[in-house]
Amino acid sequence: MIVTKIAVVGFGAAAIGFVSEVIKKGHQIHIFERSKDVYSSSISGIRSDGKLFMSNGMGGDLDIPMEVQREVIDYYITKLGDSDRENVKTGVSFSKDSEYFEMFYSKGFEPVNSHFFHIGTDKLASVLKKIYDEFVTSKNVKFHFGVKINNVIFQDKKIRVQAENFDEVFDYVVVAVGRSGHKLVNRIVERYPELVLSANVVDIGIRYEVPNHVVKKLNEEMYEFKVRMRAKTGYMVRTFCNNPSGKVVLEKYDDFVTVNGHSNSRAETSNTNFAILCSTSFTEPFNDPVGYGSYISKLGNILAGGRKVLLQTYEDFVKCKRTKKLGRVKPTLPNDAYVLGDVNLVLPRRIALSISEFIEKLGEVVPGLAYPDNLMYAVEVKFYSNKLDNDRYENLKFIGDCSGHTRSITYATAHGKMIARNL
Ligand SMILES: Cc1cc2nc3c(=O)[nH]c(=O)nc-3n(C[C@H](O)[C@H](O)[C@H](O)COP(=O)(O)OP(=O)(O)OC[C@H]3O[C@@H](n4cnc5c(N)ncnc54)[C@H](O)[C@@H]3O)c2cc1C
């Protein structure tokens, strides 16, 4: 196949990986991004937080060699200025020498080994700008900002890419719209259902917030501690996205809000937050995990009286009592974004039981992790895209999170690189 004109839909981590490789091959590359410019926010970890992981145990189901992961991390870090590069926080979660490995393991947890580097939300804009500047100065790359692609359709052997005021044919199309681009992906797979390999998982849980001193040693040693455990309910429960001195934030969707967390490169608060998530998978006849996660999130918003989340202390959660007064831990989420309530009214029993067992066990390893006035924000949801088949069509590829095969910056970027290298 001779490729001359390529469309890249979305400009996030996967697109960066793809373009950084394909740019050298001399094709004509058009990048379509719905945000109005490179700085505009979109729901994307490449614009918020910026923790880069190197791990075989997390980030996606692709087999990405460690040297490619390392290449991706170096690529982003070299985009920082000299002093910022020196300030990148780095650590290893559960190296075999860590005293914590056995402490968690003996209580039934599976510690996840990963190496990571934290850039910080405040530094991401300049990293993105540097990448953008490198791409845009190349004669064969053209950016189209503020263009939301709403359809991708085969036309003979070529592919039509359509937006409100745009309709053009390309030789090769790479869809890289992340999870926020699910509407476009849904539209494509409705027309080409043979692309779907499987669809059945959503992760649902809470964001947990504790004082820094409780996890000081853990944070100092590994910055991000990652453990998972099979609860008595049969659900796999895991920690995710630890933010030392970080902030809890709302994640805004069109018709509901959920909770998330991030941190800047400089310590800003006296709390650490991380997610506790349960993986929920379904079998026939149900096949709408996104619908399930959205429904539960909306229920949380209804009880919180609008576009807000519920906040409860751990003790009240265990006692199934609405929280009316907080204790020593001060929320980092602004108080107009939450309402004190009872998370048990929102989470399905199986998830609530799994989470309380998980926190109780965490407290057996680090007692402060089960202090009664620690904070639980609900709902946190991680949606996964359908797993899509990239071998089905020679000139239509899905890269990064929208392919269902990645869920991290490193994996999404590496996926883009690998598809480009095979082009
Ligand atoms: C709040 C938050 C924090 C995160 N923090 C981290 C972290 O610290 N470390 C980590 O490894 N992972 C993190 N993640 C996950 C990480 O962001 C993703 O795994 C990664 O960015 C996926 O890359 P992607 O290119 O597939 O999608 P994205 O990076 O999301 O990029 C997709 C792009 O496509 C654009 N787009 C969507 N639809 C259309 C359309 N129809 N037309 C044109 N453009 C469109 C979007 O605006 C977006 O710019 C975080 C995610 C979130 C939501």
Side-chain angles (χ1 to χ4, degrees):
M1 184 181 51
I2 299 168
V3 175
T4 52
K5 200 172 156 197
I6 299 178
V8 178
V9 185
F11 187 58
I16 288 172
F18 180 82
V19 176
S20 68
E21 286 291 321
V22 94
I23 201 166
K24 310 162 199 154
K25 302 192 180 187
H27 307 292
Q28 202 187 324
I29 306 162
H30 291 262
I31 303 171
F32 301 93
E33 167 56 52
R34 67 179 185 184
S35 312
K36 69 177 186 328
D37 55 42
V38 74
Y39 295 115
S40 305
S41 74
S42 146
I43 301 177
S44 167
I46 197 74
R47 293 180 174 85
S48 156
D49 205 21
K51 238 181 258 123
L52 304 171
F53 303 99
M54 234 170 89
S55 168
N56 280 331
M58 46 172 281
D61 63 7
L62 296 170
D63 194 9
I64 301 198
M66 278 302 176
E67 57 274 18
V68 178
Q69 297 193 34
R70 181 73 230 198
E71 211 184 300
V72 166
I73 287 165
D74 289 345
Y75 175 80
Y76 285 113
I77 289 180
T78 52
K79 305 296 176 221
L80 286 163
D82 291 344
S83 63
D84 291 336
R85 210 174 302 147
E86 279 157 25
N87 286 332
V88 169
K89 292 193 189 75
T90 178
V92 181
S93 155
F94 295 110
S95 72
K96 284 278 184 298
D97 309 329
S98 167
E99 59 168 321
Y100 282 111
F101 190 94
E102 184 54 29
M103 285 164 73
F104 278 95
Y105 190 90
S106 64
K107 297 292 176 194
F109 290 100
E110 183 189 339
V112 180
N113 176 239
S114 83
H115 199 159
F116 67 85
F117 304 78
H118 181 235
I119 296 181
T121 307
D122 50 329
K123 301 285 182 268
L124 284 171
S126 66
V127 169
L128 263 181
K129 175 74 167 69
K130 186 104 189 265
I131 294 170
Y132 167 71
D133 285 345
E134 281 173 17
F135 289 170
V136 84
T137 47
S138 178
K139 282 200 190 85
N140 55 330
V141 175
K142 187 161 184 342
F143 277 90
H144 305 258
F145 283 106
V147 180
K148 183 178 177 189
I149 300 301
N150 50 37
N151 225 338
V152 168
I153 307 167
F154 279 101
Q155 184 171 304
D156 303 322
K157 293 241 155 112
K158 301 208 171 194
I159 304 178
R160 256 173 98 174
V161 173
Q162 297 176 319
E164 207 173 282
N165 297 313
F166 182 89
D167 192 343
E168 236 177 272
V169 174
F170 291 84
D171 298 310
Y172 188 97
V173 174
V174 171
V175 181
V177 291
R179 278 169 272 170
S180 64
H182 65 272
K183 282 196 181 137
L184 173 64
V185 175
N186 288 350
R187 201 162 298 134
I188 300 172
V189 300
E190 257 169 43
R191 195 181 284 260
Y192 308 110
E194 65 278 11
L195 282 165
V196 180
L197 292 173
S198 67
N200 59 8
V201 182
V202 60
D203 287 357
I204 296 176
I206 54 128
R207 180 71 38 177
Y208 200 49
E209 187 164 50
V210 303
N212 276 339
H213 59 83
V214 159
V215 277
K216 186 166 180 275
K217 269 185 73 188
L218 260 182
N219 285 347
E220 276 169 5
E221 184 182 316
M222 48 186 105
Y223 191 88
E224 165 111 18
F225 82 106
K226 283 190 176 290
V227 290
R228 51 188 171 219
M229 186 192 85
R230 178 80 59 195
K232 287 187 194 127
T233 56
Y235 274 174
M236 186 57 97
V237 193
R238 63 184 174 111
T239 59
F240 177 73
C241 184
N242 189 60
N243 293 297
S245 306
K247 285 181 183 166
V248 176
V249 290
L250 289 187
E251 189 169 314
K252 294 178 181 164
Y253 293 83
D254 291 346
D255 47 352
F256 59 90
V257 295
T258 61
V259 74
N260 209 315
H262 80 121
S263 51
N264 281 321
S265 58
R266 278 196 201 97
E268 275 190 333
T269 73
S270 46
N271 289 353
T272 292
N273 68 73
F274 57 90
I276 300 177
L277 300 170
C278 292
S279 268
T280 315
S281 57
F282 304 93
T283 46
E284 279 187 85
F286 190 71
N287 68 354
D288 183 14
V290 173
Y292 184 79
S294 311
Y295 196 87
I296 290 174
S297 308
K298 282 179 204 165
L299 179 58
N301 297 167
I302 289 170
L303 287 170
R307 286 176 74 79
K308 298 178 181 192
V309 291
L310 289 180
L311 173 57
Q312 187 171 29
T313 62
Y314 171 57
E315 181 180 37
D316 288 341
F317 173 69
V318 173
K319 291 183 175 162
C320 292
K321 251 176 57 186
R322 178 178 182 180
T323 291
K324 298 220 169 110
K325 208 164 158 268
L326 297 175
R328 296 163 296 176
V329 193
K330 303 283 169 270
T332 55
L333 183 70
N335 59 9
D336 58 357
Y338 67 79
V339 161
L340 300 182
D342 182 5
V343 172
N344 293 288
L345 292 173
V346 180
L347 294 179
R349 180 167 184 265
R350 197 164 157 184
I351 294 179
L353 284 176
S354 309
I355 290 175
S356 71
E357 182 189 340
F358 191 83
I359 297 177
E360 197 186 313
K361 288 266 178 206
L362 284 179
E364 290 175 20
V365 184
V366 179
L369 281 173
Y371 281 161
D373 49 354
N374 288 346
L375 303 177
M376 303 174 76
Y377 301 82
V379 178
E380 177 140 351
V381 183
K382 297 291 166 235
F383 296 110
Y384 295 95
S385 306
N386 292 335
K387 284 195 197 309
L388 301 180
D389 186 357
N390 267 331
D391 295 328
R392 182 63 69 160
Y393 296 109
E394 208 182 1
N395 56 344
L396 174 61
K397 304 291 173 193
F398 296 84
I399 57 172
D401 288 15
C402 73
S403 72
H405 297 288
T406 74
R407 47 176 189 271
S408 72
I409 296 171
T410 313
Y411 271 56
T413 312
H415 194 200
K417 272 183 176 291
M418 284 161 48
I419 294 282
R421 284 175 185 172
N422 287 334
L423 181 68

